[in-house]
Amino acid sequence: MSDAEQTPAKAGPQPEEIRFFGTTWVDHGGHYALRRAGLAAGALAAAVAACFVLRFAYEGLRIADVGGVVNVLVVVMFAVCSAIAFGKTWEGFLRRPADPAREESLRSLKAIGFIGSLLAYAARCLVEAPGEKLHRTEFETAVRQYEKRRAARTGNPTTRKKPKRK
């Protein structure tokens, strides 16, 4: 039997897992702070490595002598896409998207501006687990609603006194 089969299921809502953190964000256990620091450093390192790769690509364009306009367009495209990706990634940590279809259409833009997404992830790791505030708010709301429903059902309905008929 696995551990999941041996432990009884806890009544009420369960916290949603966050990538790389599981459910440790609830009580900040399981080396939570160390994970946050490690993920922030990893995301920053990945962003720096990505900048070097983009620098090599830019050098390739310069060597190919494609022209100043193309060079400027490439730099502006990556800068704008990174800024939009940063904003959308940061916004995704704070609230669920109102229009999932619109988020899906921005996927390619976020892929081009992946450096912005990496920087948003690193910055959010310095504050909390990315998405923790959103998940905590949803989890606490679910727990309050569960407790409210549970409190309204207290007692055995068969033992209630029946109203007298007149």
Side-chain angles (χ1 to χ4, degrees):
M1 277 185 149
S2 69
D3 290 339
E5 293 173 354
Q6 290 177 351
T7 54
K10 183 180 169 188
Q14 299 298 312
E16 189 176 341
E17 292 188 2
I18 297 177
R19 183 181 299 166
F20 303 121
F21 292 93
T23 57
T24 60
W25 60 268
V26 176
D27 60 357
H28 293 185
H31 305 291
Y32 172 81
L34 187 62
R35 286 184 195 193
R36 276 187 32 218
L39 285 170
L44 283 175
V48 168
C51 286
F52 279 119
V53 169
L54 288 179
R55 172 80 175 147
F56 293 138
Y58 180 79
E59 288 295 321
L61 288 174
R62 199 174 62 101
I63 291 170
D65 196 28
V66 293
V69 175
V70 174
N71 288 341
V72 170
L73 284 175
V74 168
V75 170
V76 169
M77 177 202 57
F78 275 106
V80 169
C81 289
S82 290
I84 292 171
F86 181 93
K88 288 297 180 182
T89 302
W90 190 269
E91 184 181 300
F93 295 141
L94 301 175
R95 63 177 124 347
R96 300 275 181 196
D99 186 10
R102 186 169 192 279
E103 289 296 315
E104 184 66 29
S105 68
L106 291 174
R107 178 180 275 176
S108 59
L109 191 129
K110 283 183 177 179
I112 293 169
F114 63 98
I115 294 174
S117 292
L118 288 170
L119 292 175
Y121 195 86
R124 198 65 192 176
C125 280
L126 296 175
V127 177
E128 65 181 8
E132 178 181 345
K133 183 177 182 180
L134 171 68
H135 286 69
R136 186 171 303 283
T137 302
E138 291 174 349
F139 178 64
E140 288 173 353
T141 301
V143 167
R144 273 195 308 276
Q145 289 174 346
Y146 174 78
E147 292 298 326
K148 187 176 179 181
R149 285 192 312 265
R150 188 158 169 81
R153 295 190 319 233
T154 58
N156 187 347
T158 59
T159 61
R160 288 188 190 150
K161 292 183 179 180
K162 296 181 182 177
K164 294 181 180 179
R165 291 187 180 179
K166 292 185 179 182

